[in-house]
mmCIF file of all heavy atoms in Angstrom:
data_model
loop_
_atom_site.group_PDB
_atom_site.id
_atom_site.type_symbol
_atom_site.label_atom_id
_atom_site.label_comp_id
_atom_site.label_asym_id
_atom_site.label_seq_id
_atom_site.Cartn_x
_atom_site.Cartn_y
_atom_site.Cartn_z
ATOM 1 N N ILE A 5 -44.096 121.930 79.397
ATOM 2 C CA ILE A 5 -44.634 120.795 80.143
ATOM 3 C C ILE A 5 -45.915 120.338 79.468
ATOM 4 O O ILE A 5 -46.808 121.154 79.195
ATOM 5 C CB ILE A 5 -44.911 121.170 81.608
ATOM 6 C CG1 ILE A 5 -43.597 121.470 82.335
ATOM 7 C CG2 ILE A 5 -45.666 120.049 82.313
ATOM 8 C CD1 ILE A 5 -43.782 121.847 83.774
ATOM 9 N N ARG A 6 -45.993 119.050 79.171
ATOM 10 C CA ARG A 6 -47.201 118.466 78.601
ATOM 11 C C ARG A 6 -47.385 117.080 79.184
ATOM 12 O O ARG A 6 -46.451 116.279 79.200
ATOM 13 C CB ARG A 6 -47.096 118.402 77.067
ATOM 14 C CG ARG A 6 -48.397 117.936 76.412
ATOM 15 C CD ARG A 6 -48.379 118.097 74.898
ATOM 16 N NE ARG A 6 -47.462 117.181 74.262
ATOM 17 C CZ ARG A 6 -46.372 117.533 73.606
ATOM 18 N NH1 ARG A 6 -46.043 118.824 73.536
ATOM 19 N NH2 ARG A 6 -45.594 116.644 73.038
ATOM 20 N N ASP A 7 -48.586 116.823 79.670
ATOM 21 C CA ASP A 7 -48.894 115.520 80.270
ATOM 22 C C ASP A 7 -47.896 115.165 81.370
ATOM 23 O O ASP A 7 -47.418 114.040 81.452
ATOM 24 C CB ASP A 7 -48.910 114.424 79.201
ATOM 25 C CG ASP A 7 -49.999 114.647 78.170
ATOM 26 O OD1 ASP A 7 -51.024 115.244 78.542
ATOM 27 O OD2 ASP A 7 -49.812 114.230 77.015
ATOM 28 N N GLU A 8 -47.551 116.174 82.185
ATOM 29 C CA GLU A 8 -46.667 116.005 83.339
ATOM 30 C C GLU A 8 -45.258 115.569 82.943
ATOM 31 O O GLU A 8 -44.523 115.011 83.753
ATOM 32 C CB GLU A 8 -47.276 115.004 84.338
ATOM 33 C CG GLU A 8 -48.631 115.456 84.871
ATOM 34 C CD GLU A 8 -49.207 114.492 85.885
ATOM 35 O OE1 GLU A 8 -48.571 113.442 86.124
ATOM 36 O OE2 GLU A 8 -50.281 114.783 86.433
ATOM 37 N N ARG A 9 -44.888 115.833 81.692
ATOM 38 C CA ARG A 9 -43.524 115.564 81.237
ATOM 39 C C ARG A 9 -42.911 116.849 80.695
ATOM 40 O O ARG A 9 -43.604 117.709 80.155
ATOM 41 C CB ARG A 9 -43.501 114.479 80.155
ATOM 42 C CG ARG A 9 -43.854 113.088 80.669
ATOM 43 C CD ARG A 9 -43.491 112.024 79.634
ATOM 44 N NE ARG A 9 -44.273 112.186 78.412
ATOM 45 C CZ ARG A 9 -44.011 111.549 77.275
ATOM 46 N NH1 ARG A 9 -42.951 110.735 77.212
ATOM 47 N NH2 ARG A 9 -44.776 111.720 76.216
ATOM 48 N N ILE A 10 -41.580 116.948 80.851
ATOM 49 C CA ILE A 10 -40.861 118.129 80.376
ATOM 50 C C ILE A 10 -40.299 117.830 78.991
ATOM 51 O O ILE A 10 -39.649 116.813 78.783
ATOM 52 C CB ILE A 10 -39.720 118.511 81.346
ATOM 53 C CG1 ILE A 10 -40.295 118.861 82.724
ATOM 54 C CG2 ILE A 10 -38.910 119.679 80.792
ATOM 55 C CD1 ILE A 10 -39.237 119.087 83.782
ATOM 56 N N PHE A 11 -40.538 118.744 78.047
ATOM 57 C CA PHE A 11 -40.030 118.600 76.687
ATOM 58 C C PHE A 11 -39.059 119.740 76.410
ATOM 59 O O PHE A 11 -39.444 120.915 76.446
ATOM 60 C CB PHE A 11 -41.172 118.625 75.671
ATOM 61 C CG PHE A 11 -42.078 117.430 75.735
ATOM 62 C CD1 PHE A 11 -43.106 117.364 76.665
ATOM 63 C CD2 PHE A 11 -41.894 116.360 74.876
ATOM 64 C CE1 PHE A 11 -43.940 116.268 76.743
ATOM 65 C CE2 PHE A 11 -42.732 115.250 74.939
ATOM 66 C CZ PHE A 11 -43.745 115.205 75.867
ATOM 67 N N LEU A 12 -37.797 119.400 76.145
ATOM 68 C CA LEU A 12 -36.809 120.403 75.768
ATOM 69 C C LEU A 12 -36.989 120.733 74.285
ATOM 70 O O LEU A 12 -37.111 119.839 73.452
ATOM 71 C CB LEU A 12 -35.389 119.893 76.035
ATOM 72 C CG LEU A 12 -35.080 119.495 77.480
ATOM 73 C CD1 LEU A 12 -33.615 119.089 77.617
ATOM 74 C CD2 LEU A 12 -35.390 120.638 78.438
ATOM 75 N N LEU A 13 -36.971 122.016 73.956
ATOM 76 C CA LEU A 13 -37.226 122.459 72.596
ATOM 77 C C LEU A 13 -35.914 122.706 71.854
ATOM 78 O O LEU A 13 -34.954 123.228 72.421
ATOM 79 C CB LEU A 13 -38.069 123.735 72.606
ATOM 80 C CG LEU A 13 -39.386 123.631 73.384
ATOM 81 C CD1 LEU A 13 -40.140 124.945 73.308
ATOM 82 C CD2 LEU A 13 -40.245 122.498 72.859
ATOM 83 N N ASP A 14 -35.899 122.336 70.574
ATOM 84 C CA ASP A 14 -34.694 122.525 69.761
ATOM 85 C C ASP A 14 -34.542 123.969 69.302
ATOM 86 O O ASP A 14 -33.434 124.507 69.266
ATOM 87 C CB ASP A 14 -34.731 121.601 68.541
ATOM 88 C CG ASP A 14 -34.705 120.131 68.933
ATOM 89 O OD1 ASP A 14 -34.032 119.812 69.933
ATOM 90 O OD2 ASP A 14 -35.351 119.326 68.252
ATOM 91 N N ASP A 15 -35.653 124.608 68.924
ATOM 92 C CA ASP A 15 -35.608 125.977 68.402
ATOM 93 C C ASP A 15 -35.828 126.979 69.524
ATOM 94 O O ASP A 15 -36.555 126.713 70.484
ATOM 95 C CB ASP A 15 -36.675 126.175 67.329
ATOM 96 C CG ASP A 15 -36.429 125.306 66.110
ATOM 97 O OD1 ASP A 15 -35.266 125.231 65.666
ATOM 98 O OD2 ASP A 15 -37.393 124.698 65.612
ATOM 99 N N ILE A 16 -35.194 128.122 69.376
ATOM 100 C CA ILE A 16 -35.324 129.186 70.373
ATOM 101 C C ILE A 16 -36.214 130.276 69.786
ATOM 102 O O ILE A 16 -35.775 131.112 69.000
ATOM 103 C CB ILE A 16 -33.948 129.742 70.788
ATOM 104 C CG1 ILE A 16 -33.133 128.643 71.480
ATOM 105 C CG2 ILE A 16 -34.117 130.947 71.707
ATOM 106 C CD1 ILE A 16 -31.739 129.058 71.868
ATOM 107 N N HIS A 17 -37.501 130.203 70.130
ATOM 108 C CA HIS A 17 -38.488 131.193 69.714
ATOM 109 C C HIS A 17 -38.874 132.010 70.949
ATOM 110 O O HIS A 17 -39.167 131.438 72.003
ATOM 111 C CB HIS A 17 -39.731 130.532 69.137
ATOM 112 C CG HIS A 17 -39.457 129.635 67.962
ATOM 113 N ND1 HIS A 17 -38.394 129.830 67.104
ATOM 114 C CD2 HIS A 17 -40.129 128.542 67.507
ATOM 115 C CE1 HIS A 17 -38.423 128.898 66.162
ATOM 116 N NE2 HIS A 17 -39.450 128.095 66.390
ATOM 117 N N ILE A 18 -38.895 133.334 70.812
ATOM 118 C CA ILE A 18 -39.166 134.201 71.956
ATOM 119 C C ILE A 18 -40.364 135.090 71.666
ATOM 120 O O ILE A 18 -40.423 135.771 70.639
ATOM 121 C CB ILE A 18 -37.936 135.064 72.302
ATOM 122 C CG1 ILE A 18 -36.774 134.159 72.732
ATOM 123 C CG2 ILE A 18 -38.259 136.074 73.406
ATOM 124 C CD1 ILE A 18 -35.528 134.905 73.131
ATOM 125 N N GLY A 19 -41.339 135.072 72.592
ATOM 126 C CA GLY A 19 -42.493 135.953 72.480
ATOM 127 C C GLY A 19 -42.150 137.349 72.976
ATOM 128 O O GLY A 19 -41.350 137.531 73.897
ATOM 129 N N ILE A 20 -42.751 138.345 72.346
ATOM 130 C CA ILE A 20 -42.551 139.744 72.738
ATOM 131 C C ILE A 20 -43.918 140.331 73.071
ATOM 132 O O ILE A 20 -44.777 140.443 72.188
ATOM 133 C CB ILE A 20 -41.883 140.560 71.613
ATOM 134 C CG1 ILE A 20 -40.541 139.930 71.212
ATOM 135 C CG2 ILE A 20 -41.689 142.007 72.048
ATOM 136 C CD1 ILE A 20 -39.899 140.580 70.001
ATOM 137 N N ALA A 21 -44.142 140.686 74.321
ATOM 138 C CA ALA A 21 -45.433 141.237 74.730
ATOM 139 C C ALA A 21 -45.610 142.625 74.117
ATOM 140 O O ALA A 21 -44.739 143.490 74.235
ATOM 141 C CB ALA A 21 -45.515 141.316 76.251
ATOM 142 N N VAL A 22 -46.747 142.828 73.443
ATOM 143 C CA VAL A 22 -47.044 144.083 72.754
ATOM 144 C C VAL A 22 -48.355 144.639 73.297
ATOM 145 O O VAL A 22 -49.386 143.951 73.277
ATOM 146 C CB VAL A 22 -47.153 143.874 71.228
ATOM 147 C CG1 VAL A 22 -47.500 145.181 70.534
ATOM 148 C CG2 VAL A 22 -45.861 143.307 70.670
ATOM 149 N N SER A 23 -48.317 145.864 73.783
ATOM 150 C CA SER A 23 -49.513 146.494 74.333
ATOM 151 C C SER A 23 -50.411 146.981 73.195
ATOM 152 O O SER A 23 -49.972 147.668 72.287
ATOM 153 C CB SER A 23 -49.124 147.674 75.228
ATOM 154 O OG SER A 23 -50.273 148.351 75.692
ATOM 155 N N LEU A 24 -51.692 146.600 73.268
ATOM 156 C CA LEU A 24 -52.695 147.049 72.314
ATOM 157 C C LEU A 24 -53.814 147.751 73.069
ATOM 158 O O LEU A 24 -53.950 147.601 74.282
ATOM 159 C CB LEU A 24 -53.276 145.861 71.539
ATOM 160 C CG LEU A 24 -52.286 144.934 70.830
ATOM 161 C CD1 LEU A 24 -53.033 143.779 70.178
ATOM 162 C CD2 LEU A 24 -51.483 145.699 69.779
ATOM 163 N N GLU A 25 -54.634 148.485 72.348
ATOM 164 C CA GLU A 25 -55.727 149.208 72.998
ATOM 165 C C GLU A 25 -56.690 148.254 73.679
ATOM 166 O O GLU A 25 -57.217 148.537 74.762
ATOM 167 C CB GLU A 25 -56.466 150.049 71.957
ATOM 168 C CG GLU A 25 -57.547 150.935 72.548
ATOM 169 C CD GLU A 25 -58.165 151.849 71.518
ATOM 170 O OE1 GLU A 25 -57.527 152.098 70.484
ATOM 171 O OE2 GLU A 25 -59.306 152.314 71.745
ATOM 172 N N GLU A 26 -56.911 147.062 73.052
ATOM 173 C CA GLU A 26 -57.872 146.122 73.601
ATOM 174 C C GLU A 26 -57.228 145.042 74.466
ATOM 175 O O GLU A 26 -57.924 144.159 74.960
ATOM 176 C CB GLU A 26 -58.663 145.453 72.476
ATOM 177 C CG GLU A 26 -57.820 144.618 71.533
ATOM 178 C CD GLU A 26 -57.210 145.420 70.386
ATOM 179 O OE1 GLU A 26 -56.975 146.636 70.574
ATOM 180 O OE2 GLU A 26 -56.982 144.837 69.318
ATOM 181 N N GLY A 27 -55.927 145.087 74.672
ATOM 182 C CA GLY A 27 -55.273 144.070 75.491
ATOM 183 C C GLY A 27 -53.793 143.953 75.179
ATOM 184 O O GLY A 27 -53.103 144.953 74.974
ATOM 185 N N VAL A 28 -53.309 142.716 75.165
ATOM 186 C CA VAL A 28 -51.898 142.436 74.918
ATOM 187 C C VAL A 28 -51.787 141.310 73.904
ATOM 188 O O VAL A 28 -52.478 140.294 74.028
ATOM 189 C CB VAL A 28 -51.162 142.033 76.221
ATOM 190 C CG1 VAL A 28 -49.703 141.719 75.931
ATOM 191 C CG2 VAL A 28 -51.266 143.144 77.256
ATOM 192 N N ALA A 29 -50.927 141.487 72.910
ATOM 193 C CA ALA A 29 -50.605 140.424 71.958
ATOM 194 C C ALA A 29 -49.171 139.979 72.208
ATOM 195 O O ALA A 29 -48.348 140.746 72.720
ATOM 196 C CB ALA A 29 -50.765 140.910 70.522
ATOM 197 N N VAL A 30 -48.868 138.737 71.848
ATOM 198 C CA VAL A 30 -47.515 138.216 72.043
ATOM 199 C C VAL A 30 -47.053 137.557 70.740
ATOM 200 O O VAL A 30 -47.102 136.333 70.601
ATOM 201 C CB VAL A 30 -47.448 137.208 73.214
ATOM 202 C CG1 VAL A 30 -46.001 136.803 73.486
ATOM 203 C CG2 VAL A 30 -48.059 137.805 74.478
ATOM 204 N N PRO A 31 -46.610 138.363 69.757
ATOM 205 C CA PRO A 31 -46.029 137.763 68.548
ATOM 206 C C PRO A 31 -44.726 137.057 68.898
ATOM 207 O O PRO A 31 -44.045 137.434 69.863
ATOM 208 C CB PRO A 31 -45.789 138.961 67.634
ATOM 209 C CG PRO A 31 -45.646 140.120 68.567
ATOM 210 C CD PRO A 31 -46.562 139.831 69.726
ATOM 211 N N VAL A 32 -44.381 136.051 68.113
ATOM 212 C CA VAL A 32 -43.221 135.213 68.428
ATOM 213 C C VAL A 32 -42.122 135.436 67.397
ATOM 214 O O VAL A 32 -42.348 135.307 66.187
ATOM 215 C CB VAL A 32 -43.614 133.731 68.469
ATOM 216 C CG1 VAL A 32 -42.395 132.848 68.696
ATOM 217 C CG2 VAL A 32 -44.648 133.497 69.580
ATOM 218 N N LEU A 33 -40.928 135.770 67.887
ATOM 219 C CA LEU A 33 -39.749 135.945 67.044
ATOM 220 C C LEU A 33 -39.052 134.593 66.928
ATOM 221 O O LEU A 33 -38.508 134.076 67.898
ATOM 222 C CB LEU A 33 -38.812 136.984 67.660
ATOM 223 C CG LEU A 33 -37.579 137.347 66.847
ATOM 224 C CD1 LEU A 33 -37.967 138.071 65.563
ATOM 225 C CD2 LEU A 33 -36.637 138.229 67.669
ATOM 226 N N ALA A 34 -39.090 134.014 65.748
ATOM 227 C CA ALA A 34 -38.552 132.670 65.537
ATOM 228 C C ALA A 34 -37.034 132.703 65.364
ATOM 229 O O ALA A 34 -36.478 133.620 64.755
ATOM 230 C CB ALA A 34 -39.192 132.034 64.298
ATOM 231 N N GLY A 35 -36.366 131.687 65.922
ATOM 232 C CA GLY A 35 -34.917 131.541 65.751
ATOM 233 C C GLY A 35 -34.134 132.752 66.202
ATOM 234 O O GLY A 35 -33.182 133.176 65.532
ATOM 235 N N ALA A 36 -34.490 133.310 67.358
ATOM 236 C CA ALA A 36 -33.868 134.559 67.814
ATOM 237 C C ALA A 36 -32.365 134.410 68.043
ATOM 238 O O ALA A 36 -31.612 135.375 67.882
ATOM 239 C CB ALA A 36 -34.542 135.037 69.101
ATOM 240 N N ASP A 37 -31.911 133.223 68.399
ATOM 241 C CA ASP A 37 -30.481 133.023 68.653
ATOM 242 C C ASP A 37 -29.656 133.058 67.376
ATOM 243 O O ASP A 37 -28.454 133.332 67.410
ATOM 244 C CB ASP A 37 -30.252 131.691 69.374
ATOM 245 C CG ASP A 37 -30.759 130.510 68.554
ATOM 246 O OD1 ASP A 37 -31.889 130.608 68.018
ATOM 247 O OD2 ASP A 37 -30.038 129.509 68.445
ATOM 248 N N ARG A 38 -30.305 132.802 66.223
ATOM 249 C CA ARG A 38 -29.579 132.731 64.951
ATOM 250 C C ARG A 38 -29.537 134.069 64.219
ATOM 251 O O ARG A 38 -28.866 134.190 63.196
ATOM 252 C CB ARG A 38 -30.217 131.674 64.048
ATOM 253 C CG ARG A 38 -30.255 130.275 64.652
ATOM 254 C CD ARG A 38 -30.665 129.236 63.623
ATOM 255 N NE ARG A 38 -31.988 129.493 63.091
ATOM 256 C CZ ARG A 38 -33.112 128.995 63.592
ATOM 257 N NH1 ARG A 38 -33.051 128.222 64.677
ATOM 258 N NH2 ARG A 38 -34.286 129.250 63.049
ATOM 259 N N LEU A 39 -30.265 135.057 64.724
ATOM 260 C CA LEU A 39 -30.343 136.341 64.045
ATOM 261 C C LEU A 39 -29.283 137.305 64.555
ATOM 262 O O LEU A 39 -29.050 137.413 65.761
ATOM 263 C CB LEU A 39 -31.727 136.961 64.267
ATOM 264 C CG LEU A 39 -32.926 136.227 63.666
ATOM 265 C CD1 LEU A 39 -34.218 136.869 64.146
ATOM 266 C CD2 LEU A 39 -32.854 136.250 62.149
ATOM 267 N N ALA A 40 -28.640 138.005 63.622
ATOM 268 C CA ALA A 40 -27.774 139.117 64.024
ATOM 269 C C ALA A 40 -28.643 140.185 64.675
ATOM 270 O O ALA A 40 -29.844 140.304 64.371
ATOM 271 C CB ALA A 40 -27.051 139.682 62.807
ATOM 272 N N LEU A 41 -28.073 140.971 65.555
ATOM 273 C CA LEU A 41 -28.855 141.931 66.334
ATOM 274 C C LEU A 41 -29.633 142.885 65.434
ATOM 275 O O LEU A 41 -30.811 143.175 65.695
ATOM 276 C CB LEU A 41 -27.934 142.713 67.278
ATOM 277 C CG LEU A 41 -28.614 143.737 68.186
ATOM 278 C CD1 LEU A 41 -29.694 143.092 69.038
ATOM 279 C CD2 LEU A 41 -27.586 144.434 69.075
ATOM 280 N N VAL A 42 -29.012 143.377 64.372
ATOM 281 C CA VAL A 42 -29.693 144.311 63.476
ATOM 282 C C VAL A 42 -30.871 143.622 62.785
ATOM 283 O O VAL A 42 -31.967 144.190 62.673
ATOM 284 C CB VAL A 42 -28.703 144.877 62.439
ATOM 285 C CG1 VAL A 42 -29.441 145.677 61.370
ATOM 286 C CG2 VAL A 42 -27.668 145.771 63.124
ATOM 287 N N ASP A 43 -30.685 142.383 62.333
ATOM 288 C CA ASP A 43 -31.777 141.646 61.695
ATOM 289 C C ASP A 43 -32.878 141.321 62.701
ATOM 290 O O ASP A 43 -34.076 141.379 62.377
ATOM 291 C CB ASP A 43 -31.247 140.351 61.081
ATOM 292 C CG ASP A 43 -30.294 140.612 59.931
ATOM 293 O OD1 ASP A 43 -30.459 141.647 59.252
ATOM 294 O OD2 ASP A 43 -29.371 139.801 59.737
ATOM 295 N N LEU A 44 -32.490 140.964 63.913
ATOM 296 C CA LEU A 44 -33.470 140.705 64.970
ATOM 297 C C LEU A 44 -34.332 141.942 65.203
ATOM 298 O O LEU A 44 -35.555 141.834 65.342
ATOM 299 C CB LEU A 44 -32.751 140.294 66.254
ATOM 300 C CG LEU A 44 -33.612 139.908 67.468
ATOM 301 C CD1 LEU A 44 -32.865 138.895 68.331
ATOM 302 C CD2 LEU A 44 -33.963 141.125 68.317
ATOM 303 N N SER A 45 -33.698 143.115 65.223
ATOM 304 C CA SER A 45 -34.432 144.363 65.448
ATOM 305 C C SER A 45 -35.442 144.614 64.339
ATOM 306 O O SER A 45 -36.598 144.979 64.603
ATOM 307 C CB SER A 45 -33.439 145.525 65.534
ATOM 308 O OG SER A 45 -34.117 146.751 65.711
#
């Protein structure tokens, strides 16, 4: 949502919450739908 409008995204990027000593990071796995499970891992 931006400026009260909904934008559908073409790419499927998924964030993965990662616990760190000082907090939480969320690296993003790009194109997760296009990756074979082993490559995604």
Side-chain angles (χ1 to χ4, degrees):
I5 294 180
R6 186 170 69 245
D7 297 331
E8 300 182 357
R9 291 193 296 168
I10 298 173
F11 292 83
L12 302 183
L13 305 181
D14 296 325
D15 296 316
I16 296 177
H17 302 332
I18 297 182
I20 303 173
V22 178
S23 176
L24 306 177
E25 185 174 339
E26 63 273 28
V28 179
V30 186
V32 176
L33 184 67
D37 60 315
R38 302 190 299 269
L39 295 172
L41 181 57
V42 171
D43 294 330
L44 183 151
S45 178

